[in-house]
Amino acid sequence: MIGLHISFDGGVPYLWGEQANVKTKAEKQAYPFDPGISGLKEAFKRIVPQIKVLKSNTSLKVVWLPSRGKEPIPSSPVIASSPDQRRKIVLMPYWTTARKLSLEEFLVLTALAESGDLTGSGVILGRSFQWSNHLLKTILKAGLKETFLPGLVDRGGIWEGRFLPALDEADEKDLHTLAETMPDACRCMGDSFDNPPDTPPELVVNQALAFGLDSLVRQANKPLKTKTKAGNKYSSLHDAWLAALVSADGVVHWSKESELREFAAQLDQWRRPVDLAARSPFKFCFRLSEPSEEHETDGPNGWLVDYLLQPKADPSLLVSASDAWKTKSNASKQLKKFGGDVTEFMLTALGQALGLCPEIAVSLKQKHPDGFSLDATGAYQFLIDQAGALSNAGFSVMLPSWWVGRGPVRRLGLKAKVSSPQMQGGNVFSLSSMVEFDLAACLGEDTLDIEELRQLARLKSPLVKVRGQWTQIDQDQIQAAIRFLEKQAQGSMSARDVMGLALGAEQRLGGLSVDNIETDGWLQDVLEKLSGSRGLDLISQPNNFVGSLRPYQERGLSWLNFLCQWGLGACLADDMGLGKTIQTLALLLRGRSNGEKRPVILICPTSVVNNWKKEVEKFTPDLKALIHHGPDRNRNNSFTKTVADHALVVTSYGLLHRDIDFLEDVDWAGVILDEAQNIKNSGTRQAKAAKRLKAGYRIALTGTPVENNVGDLWSIMDFLNPGLLGNQSVFKQSFFRPIQIWRNEDAANRLKKLTGPFILRRLKTDRSIITDLPDKIEQKEFCRLTREQASLYQAVLDDMHESLENTEGIQRRGMVLAALSKLKQVCNHPAQFIGDGSSLDGRSGKLLRLEEILEEIEGQKERTLIFTQFAQMGELLHKYLQEQFGREVLYLHGGVTKRKRDEMVERFQNEPEGPHVFILSLKAGGTGLTLTRANHVVHFDRWWNPAVENQATDRVFRIGQKKNVLVHKFIVTGTLEERIDEMIQSKTDLAEQIVGAGENWITELSNDDLRELTQLGREAVED
């Protein structure tokens, strides 16, 4: 393992490293962890193989490091063990091999701190890399803003031509932040063994910025050929200086010292206006005003740019230049309070701005310049080019609100007016049905006919006034719109395209985007209800529904009914326990009551097939249901004949793709996917099979429509409403990458607008949804390890860290996962880890706490669910708790038959004197069960996925629960269990995206982070 650090000496970045088991150099005070040139070469090879480390670029440098005695403290325990803790920490100097970094190397290396994946590389980066990455961004920003000027610098008798920073207030703030956050490693380097480097952080930052900015600008210029035939002498000092500005070392080859000093003074004077503007108490402002009424159309110079002064101490005060020139005016008296020479400042500011805005030259012909006028083309040029340049140069620029508020362009697009086609019996229409439309041009909300477009084209101006509003308009777009509308003012599109456009999908015709859509009749009614601008017609539950739907469930039923009657797919994503099942059954019953004769097919996980059967029998006994499951199920023609006599067919995802050849031959009234996240991967056989089924409507039921990323949503929506989000490639480009990678809010909002009408998501913690569900109280039970557990835990750690040094890639990931599983087993109980069948009593902190909790619950005559992800641990608990409490304990795991499983659920739920404790493996019992007889949930070991744990808890915390639910989450303090719990809590926005991905994310941690995550704290072991 090699650790890398970046330090700065005189602003120059150097790379150095630390590596254990390195032979001590012969030099006095050599750094014992110095990897040497070979170690640095190896590190480069592992992380940036395109960079070759040359010996000529390395040297010995002095680094002052915290030490105990004469032994340096490693930056990470992964590198080496820390020296004797009893010794006092002191700063000590050491020789170490360091590599001077070029700008390219600095850029590549620091970028690794932000985006590089070094898993398995055997290289860890110190905090100096992350800090240097922020410094680099500041350097690049200064380069892009061109906030630099050439200068001449005296470095101990050697004169150099350098590009020097010319910073504004924003830059100064960035530098101040960098100085405050600088790691000590960045300024630990020097050349002296006598005194540690004492350069203030502010100076280190300024030196580093100057060096980096100079290197950046220097590389952008080619060397000048200005040497004379006489040899190495330049024909003039100016030539020597210019050559130095683009040379590799920056040295000015000129022998006359006096001339160099005089020229340096001239350059300082040349820089003075820039420094004056930076130090001035004022900002110079340019304000663009639109034409008055009489100049709107034919005035040659109706636009005005006014000059104003703005005190930095009081930005709300704006003084016109015409007033500021008058020394005796009230305005001038006000400005004098802020100090500074107003006249000199204004002349200097105008001189600086002249190169960015040539129109200023006209105003300078006046004695007291106060602004200039522009025609429409000039105003447009000022808006798109000069305003930004002036702003970047530090001037304040004020533009019309319509430009600032609406952005630089009001895009010319098309508006489609769609007429609702005549209904041909019933309300169902196909998304592929074609509808007719008429087209017109539009500018935002304003519709433009073809004659108005021709009038705008004749103006030939980029800035026009439309409907009383000034705007920029692209003349090429105007011409394109005229050509297109002259050829095609009518057309047709699919109902799917109409619906997508109404919800914000992108569509282009003739090179122009369709920005607006106008409908009428029943189609307008449907689209308004989809978009939410018109409320749904509420329907009541069917008369033969057994039970009473809550108000929010009736709204869900109405929503499902609305979408299904128009053949649109619906995703009911209510929180677990809010009754997705009974809302769906009520919909099916309503369909049969309205004369629907075709059957509905429902696909669900095998574990909940029987649950659906029970729910049908309980709430909709009039619905004839067929369970298509087991080896004796009907197939082919026999199946087709059988289902014709049923209202509902329930089958599993496993059988769906096996039996798809005859399932797809049935004309289904509807297809319903329960736990629809099972098709989140569109490439799976079950996802492909689900999309082959032909039906009048499609419904997806899921509590987690987006489990890990928005890519999950595409597959579900492609099942529900094929084509709405485009194909997978279009979706990735338009939504997945912008949202998942770049966190683009606009793309996220567009996706929400497109999919929102087809997803209904309610949470049971929302009191506006349901008010009669008791509270859920979560409590963390912090346990300690026994000494036996602590010993085993440390042994696993030692073995893991030893193996980490010799493994990488998929082998490393497998090894880490295996080690994590072992650590979790140790935290549970030594007997689970050893697997020797030995006694459990007194050997586990978790088991001791479990016994205490169960004794208290038993005294209250309440029931408990215990979840574990390990079948072996479940078996151990099952046997132990039965013996300890003298009562039967139920245990459900993956090997339990369906019949036995149903019997267990029935006994626990309904038997008055039945078992009070139910142990469940998380995979077998975490979903699909209703166990509201319990009101205590114990997570004996954590899954590290909040969504999975909440699903398991929801076996209890759901409709039908009459008591407060207490959730006990067992955590062993001082171990990986506590640290991962802290990560979940502190990174709630990543819980479902990263932590929610299972345990694989842990395998991608660096060795350093993995050691920190899993290390055994002193507080972990019980006294």
Side-chain angles (χ1 to χ4, degrees):
M1 180 64 68
I2 302 176
L4 295 178
H5 306 279
I6 293 177
S7 297
F8 295 85
D9 185 16
V12 180
Y14 284 86
L15 179 75
W16 58 282
E18 54 179 338
Q19 187 176 22
N21 303 318
V22 176
K23 292 182 180 179
T24 304
K25 291 179 177 289
E27 292 92 338
K28 181 182 178 183
Q29 287 290 130
Y31 185 45
F33 302 141
D34 180 14
I37 296 176
S38 60
L40 291 179
K41 281 185 177 180
E42 180 62 25
F44 268 91
K45 182 179 178 181
R46 294 181 192 177
I47 58 178
V48 278
Q50 67 271 28
I51 295 180
K52 293 183 179 180
V53 178
L54 302 176
K55 186 173 182 179
S56 59
N57 294 335
T58 60
S59 61
L60 285 177
K61 300 289 287 185
V62 178
V63 286
W64 286 75
L65 303 174
S67 308
R68 293 187 185 274
K70 294 185 178 181
E71 296 182 63
I73 301 173
S75 64
S76 167
V78 177
I79 302 296
S81 299
S82 185
D84 191 343
Q85 299 289 321
R86 293 171 295 181
R87 290 175 176 258
K88 182 180 178 181
I89 297 179
V90 294
L91 274 179
M92 291 286 293
Y94 303 92
W95 286 112
T96 192
T97 305
R99 173 181 173 80
K100 181 179 179 180
L101 296 175
S102 67
L103 182 67
E104 295 92 340
E105 292 169 342
F106 186 60
L107 190 152
V108 172
L109 286 173
T110 56
L112 289 172
E114 185 171 63
S115 60
D117 181 7
L118 302 183
T119 303
S121 68
V123 177
I124 57 175
L125 305 180
R127 288 178 54 238
S128 57
F129 274 77
Q130 189 71 41
W131 184 89
S132 296
N133 184 250
H134 294 308
L135 170 67
L136 179 65
K137 290 178 180 178
T138 303
I139 293 171
L140 294 175
K141 188 169 106 178
L144 288 172
K145 289 171 59 178
E146 298 184 355
T147 51
F148 56 85
L149 289 171
L152 186 60
V153 180
D154 180 8
R155 298 191 187 278
I158 298 176
W159 291 85
E160 296 177 352
R162 296 289 175 187
F163 292 96
L164 305 174
L167 305 179
D168 57 24
E169 289 179 271
D171 297 325
E172 294 288 356
K173 288 181 180 178
D174 290 341
L175 297 189
H176 181 69
T177 301
L178 282 169
E180 285 187 331
T181 58
M182 180 188 294
D184 290 334
C186 291
R187 58 189 191 106
C188 71
M189 184 171 285
D191 296 310
S192 170
F193 265 79
D194 298 326
N195 297 298
D198 58 355
T199 309
E202 292 80 4
L203 181 56
V204 175
V205 171
N206 279 282
Q207 289 175 339
L209 174 67
F211 175 82
L213 187 58
D214 177 76
S215 300
L216 181 68
V217 180
R218 188 178 300 276
Q219 287 200 181
N221 297 286
K222 294 181 179 180
L224 298 175
K225 296 181 179 180
T226 55
K227 294 182 179 180
T228 64
K229 296 179 181 179
N232 292 329
K233 299 288 184 180
Y234 288 91
S235 58
S236 69
L237 172 56
H238 289 82
D239 283 349
W241 176 63
L242 290 174
L245 287 173
V246 293
S247 67
D249 58 12
V251 175
V252 180
H253 295 284
W254 196 255
S255 58
K256 296 180 180 179
E257 179 77 14
S258 59
E259 293 184 7
L260 284 165
R261 292 193 177 280
E262 182 181 354
F263 184 50
Q266 293 173 358
L267 287 175
D268 288 341
Q269 185 65 26
W270 175 68
R271 284 176 55 99
R272 187 173 180 275
V274 177
D275 296 332
L276 174 66
R279 295 194 306 268
S280 173
F282 308 110
K283 287 191 98 174
F284 197 85
C285 308
F286 296 86
R287 181 175 63 194
L288 177 67
S289 301
E290 60 192 43
S292 57
E293 292 292 330
E294 62 269 21
H295 291 107
E296 283 183 0
T297 56
D298 55 354
N301 296 299
W303 296 80
L304 295 176
V305 176
D306 297 312
Y307 304 154
L308 305 101
L309 265 68
Q310 182 182 45
K312 293 177 181 178
D314 185 6
S316 63
L317 177 62
L318 288 172
V319 177
S320 66
S322 59
D323 288 336
W325 289 116
K326 302 171 184 176
T327 57
K328 296 182 179 180
S329 68
N330 291 332
S332 292
K333 293 178 182 178
Q334 271 188 303
L335 294 176
K336 286 180 180 178
K337 296 177 182 178
F338 299 96
D341 189 322
V342 175
T343 299
E344 182 184 13
F345 170 72
M346 287 195 292
L347 291 173
T348 300
L350 288 170
Q352 290 176 335
L354 181 60
L356 302 174
C357 182
E359 288 77 8
I360 293 174
V362 177
S363 71
L364 291 178
K365 295 178 181 179
Q366 305 172 21
K367 183 178 181 181
H368 295 142
D370 58 3
F372 55 88
S373 60
L374 297 167
D375 60 14
T377 301
Y380 174 70
Q381 202 66 37
F382 185 86
L383 284 168
I384 65 169
D385 289 334
Q386 296 163 3
L390 289 168
S391 180
N392 288 336
F395 296 99
S396 179
V397 182
M398 302 173 195
L399 304 176
S401 58
W402 53 264
W403 176 274
V404 177
R406 297 194 181 193
V409 182
R410 285 181 73 195
R411 185 178 61 181
L412 184 68
L414 295 174
K415 180 177 183 178
K417 185 175 182 179
V418 180
S419 299
S420 298
Q422 293 293 322
M423 299 299 296
Q424 298 294 326
N427 285 341
V428 178
F429 76 105
S430 169
L431 290 178
S432 59
S433 299
M434 302 303 292
V435 294
E436 303 297 321
F437 62 81
D438 295 320
L439 287 174
C442 65
L443 193 63
E445 298 296 325
D446 299 318
T447 302
L448 306 177
D449 59 33
I450 197 164
E451 188 53 44
E452 286 179 294
L453 290 175
R454 289 170 179 153
Q455 183 179 350
L456 292 175
R458 285 193 291 270
L459 291 176
K460 297 181 180 180
S461 173
L463 291 176
V464 296
K465 199 169 189 180
V466 180
R467 305 287 196 275
Q469 174 67 65
W470 283 97
T471 187
Q472 174 194 348
I473 190 165
D474 190 325
Q475 287 291 324
D476 291 338
Q477 284 188 343
I478 295 176
Q479 297 295 339
I482 292 172
R483 288 193 299 268
F484 181 74
L485 293 176
E486 285 178 340
K487 294 180 181 178
Q488 181 182 342
Q490 295 179 322
S492 61
M493 68 177 74
S494 69
R496 176 185 294 110
D497 290 337
V498 172
M499 182 174 60
L501 284 171
L503 297 174
E506 294 184 359
Q507 173 113 354
R508 298 186 72 83
L509 295 173
L512 297 170
S513 64
V514 182
D515 294 335
N516 282 293
I517 187 164
E518 182 180 305
T519 58
D520 60 13
W522 62 265
L523 186 53
Q524 180 182 2
D525 180 67
V526 170
L527 292 176
E528 286 179 351
K529 288 178 178 177
L530 275 178
S531 64
S533 59
R534 179 183 296 186
L536 294 176
D537 298 324
L538 296 179
I539 60 175
S540 58
Q541 68 183 52
N543 293 331
N544 48 349
F545 182 85
V546 178
S548 298
L549 295 180
R550 288 174 166 81
Y552 78 88
Q553 292 171 335
E554 285 195 338
R555 293 194 296 272
L557 170 61
S558 302
W559 179 80
L560 286 171
N561 183 71
F562 163 71
L563 291 177
C564 291
Q565 72 173 329
W566 293 108
L568 300 172
C571 177
L572 184 58
D574 281 345
D575 209 354
M576 275 198 154
L578 288 183
K580 293 190 292 292
T581 300
I582 60 174
Q583 292 175 73
T584 304
L585 292 177
L587 177 74
L588 302 186
L589 191 58
R590 178 181 173 80
R592 298 302 282 192
S593 301
N594 289 341
E596 178 61 70
K597 301 298 183 183
R598 296 173 298 171
V600 170
I601 184 170
L602 186 144
I603 300 102
C604 62
T606 305
S607 59
V608 297
V609 167
N610 191 66
N611 187 63
W612 274 98
K613 180 182 177 183
K614 292 284 188 182
E615 298 291 271
V616 170
E617 293 171 351
K618 180 177 180 180
F619 294 104
T620 55
D622 291 346
L623 283 180
K624 192 174 182 181
L626 171 68
I627 305 301
H628 181 68
H629 202 264
D632 58 346
R633 65 188 184 278
N634 292 307
R635 293 175 173 85
N636 301 316
N637 291 336
S638 174
F639 174 82
T640 305
K641 292 177 182 179
T642 302
V643 299
D645 191 36
H646 289 78
L648 176 65
V649 176
V650 181
T651 189
S652 66
Y653 285 103
L655 291 180
L656 172 63
H657 68 83
R658 289 190 218 168
D659 297 348
I660 187 60
D661 289 339
F662 61 85
L663 292 177
E664 68 175 333
D665 291 336
V666 179
D667 181 19
W668 302 102
V671 176
I672 302 172
L673 302 185
D674 187 22
E675 302 292 346
Q677 63 270 20
N678 280 276
I679 67 160
K680 66 181 181 182
N681 186 341
S682 61
T684 60
R685 290 180 296 177
Q686 56 201 36
K688 293 177 180 177
K691 295 174 185 179
R692 286 171 60 181
L693 296 172
K694 295 180 286 289
Y697 62 81
R698 295 182 174 190
I699 296 175
L701 306 177
T702 176
T704 53
V706 182
E707 276 200 317
N708 296 320
N709 60 57
V710 295
D712 301 344
L713 185 60
W714 180 85
S715 184
I716 293 177
M717 291 305 298
D718 194 55
F719 161 76
L720 294 174
N721 297 302
L724 178 67
L725 298 180
N727 60 38
Q728 200 163 18
S729 175
V730 170
F731 179 82
K732 285 182 178 179
Q733 181 178 352
S734 300
F735 297 108
F736 179 82
R737 292 190 185 97
I739 296 172
Q740 204 70 30
I741 300 174
W742 305 319
R743 301 290 190 243
N744 186 298
E745 290 187 11
D746 180 62
N749 290 333
R750 285 191 290 111
L751 180 61
K752 184 177 181 180
K753 185 178 179 182
L754 268 172
T755 60
F758 310 103
I759 301 176
L760 184 60
R761 173 74 166 158
R762 277 93 57 96
L763 304 176
K764 61 172 168 276
T765 51
D766 184 352
R767 291 301 182 184
S768 67
I769 298 299
I770 183 167
T771 59
D772 57 350
L773 195 66
D775 289 331
K776 177 173 67 173
I777 303 168
E778 295 189 348
Q779 183 173 325
K780 295 176 182 178
E781 304 288 348
F782 289 96
C783 312
R784 288 189 174 186
L785 299 177
T786 63
R787 295 191 180 277
E788 179 188 10
Q789 285 177 294
S791 176
L792 292 171
Y793 189 101
Q794 189 61 52
V796 173
L797 283 184
D798 293 342
D799 183 61
M800 178 182 74
H801 293 308
E802 181 179 350
S803 301
L804 281 175
E805 302 297 330
N806 304 311
T807 58
E808 58 185 14
I810 192 170
Q811 183 182 0
R812 180 186 185 275
R813 288 192 288 272
M815 184 273 295
V816 171
L817 282 176
L820 291 173
S821 181
K822 292 176 182 178
L823 291 173
K824 293 171 75 175
Q825 291 175 24
V826 170
C827 288
N828 280 354
H829 201 287
Q832 181 193 356
F833 173 70
I834 300 171
D836 59 354
S838 55
S839 171
L840 303 188
D841 195 25
R843 300 170 62 194
S844 164
K846 278 189 179 182
L847 185 58
L848 177 62
R849 181 60 185 143
L850 179 63
E851 289 181 62
E852 294 171 347
I853 290 174
L854 290 179
E855 285 177 0
E856 186 175 347
I857 295 172
E858 183 68 14
Q860 298 171 354
K861 305 298 181 185
E862 294 178 337
R863 301 194 182 191
T864 307
L865 301 187
I866 302 174
F867 286 99
T868 175
Q869 62 181 290
F870 297 101
Q872 183 188 10
M873 191 66 231
E875 186 63 48
L876 292 172
L877 289 175
H878 179 226
K879 181 180 179 182
Y880 178 79
L881 293 178
Q882 284 191 141
E883 294 175 352
Q884 194 73 7
F885 290 97
R887 292 186 61 117
E888 181 185 8
V889 174
L890 299 175
Y891 175 39
L892 175 62
H893 54 84
V896 174
T897 64
K898 181 177 176 296
R899 182 189 63 79
K900 186 67 174 176
R901 169 196 177 101
D902 295 339
E903 179 184 324
M904 287 182 180
V905 173
E906 179 69 19
R907 290 187 62 203
F908 188 81
Q909 276 289 92
N910 301 317
E911 200 171 289
E913 297 301 322
H916 285 198
V917 177
F918 200 162
I919 302 170
L920 307 99
S921 75
L922 199 56
K923 287 188 176 180
T927 59
L929 297 177
T930 298
L931 298 168
T932 52
R933 188 66 181 270
N935 67 307
H936 290 267
V937 177
V938 174
H939 292 286
F940 192 77
D941 43 59
R942 307 292 299 282
W943 190 253
W944 299 337
N945 182 334
V948 173
E949 288 189 349
N950 289 337
Q951 279 190 336
T953 299
D954 284 343
R955 303 309 95 224
V956 171
F957 187 57
R958 60 197 299 120
I959 293 171
Q961 181 58 258
K962 304 300 182 184
K963 299 180 179 180
N964 288 338
V965 174
L966 278 75
V967 183
H968 309 268
K969 297 183 177 182
F970 280 28
I971 300 169
V972 176
T973 190
T975 68
L976 80 165
E977 291 191 346
E978 182 177 24
R979 297 185 191 99
I980 292 179
D981 178 72
E982 291 171 352
M983 291 177 66
I984 294 173
Q985 295 303 314
S986 63
K987 300 180 180 179
T988 54
D989 59 326
L990 299 179
E992 289 188 3
Q993 295 181 28
I994 297 178
V995 180
E999 297 170 6
N1000 289 328
W1001 64 277
I1002 300 176
T1003 67
E1004 304 304 318
L1005 295 176
S1006 68
N1007 290 359
D1008 188 23
D1009 290 337
L1010 194 59
R1011 181 185 289 269
E1012 184 177 347
L1013 179 72
T1014 57
Q1015 65 180 326
L1016 183 63
R1018 293 182 178 180
E1019 69 277 15
V1021 187
E1022 65 182 20
D1023 296 332

